[in-house]
Amino acid sequence: MSSSNTTGHAGGKLDLAVWFGGLSVACWCCCPMWLLVWVFALPMGIAGLVRGITEFRAAARTQASKSRAAAGIALSLVGVGAAVTYVIIVVAHPYDGML
């Protein structure tokens, strides 16, 4: 009884990694103002990575499913990767009329 409660709790504990990772990717897909998006997407993606690693380790300790944590990590990596790539492109190729 306690093992099913533990696995349900670890797997269903708001899944913050999925939320943060999904939001960091959604920012890129939904907002046309990419100059401002990376300011929000990067911190959300990093928070998703940290939370995903925490959730993954917790799931490993309790023998719970790691798929939600892995999905959160993957989404967060996409959001962080997009933000970092965009910042590198903007810094390497500045456009004078951007602001």
Side-chain angles (χ1 to χ4, degrees), residues 17 20-22 24-25 44-49 71-81:
F20 282 124
S24 68
V25 172
M44 281 189 288
I46 291 171
L49 282 174
I73 291 170
L75 285 169
S76 297
L77 281 173
V78 170
V80 168

Side-chain angles (χ1 to χ4, degrees), residues 5-6 23 27 35 46 51 56 63 66 68 76 80-81 89 94-95 98:
N5 190 12
T6 304
L23 286 173
C27 284
L35 185 64
I46 291 171
R51 183 63 191 186
F56 193 85
Q63 302 301 320
K66 300 175 196 93
R68 291 285 221 161
S76 297
V80 168
I89 289 170
Y95 177 64
M98 207 174 259

Side-chain angles (χ1 to χ4, degrees), residues 86-94:
Y86 183 74
V87 170
I88 290 171
I89 289 170
V90 167
V91 169
H93 305 289

Side-chain angles (χ1 to χ4, degrees), residues 10-46:
K13 190 176 162 184
L14 296 177
D15 295 320
L16 290 175
V18 173
W19 281 99
F20 282 124
L23 286 173
S24 68
V25 172
C27 284
W28 292 105
C29 297
C30 297
C31 183
M33 298 180 62
W34 286 4
L35 185 64
L36 300 175
V37 168
W38 74 270
V39 174
F40 300 107
L42 186 60
M44 281 189 288
I46 291 171

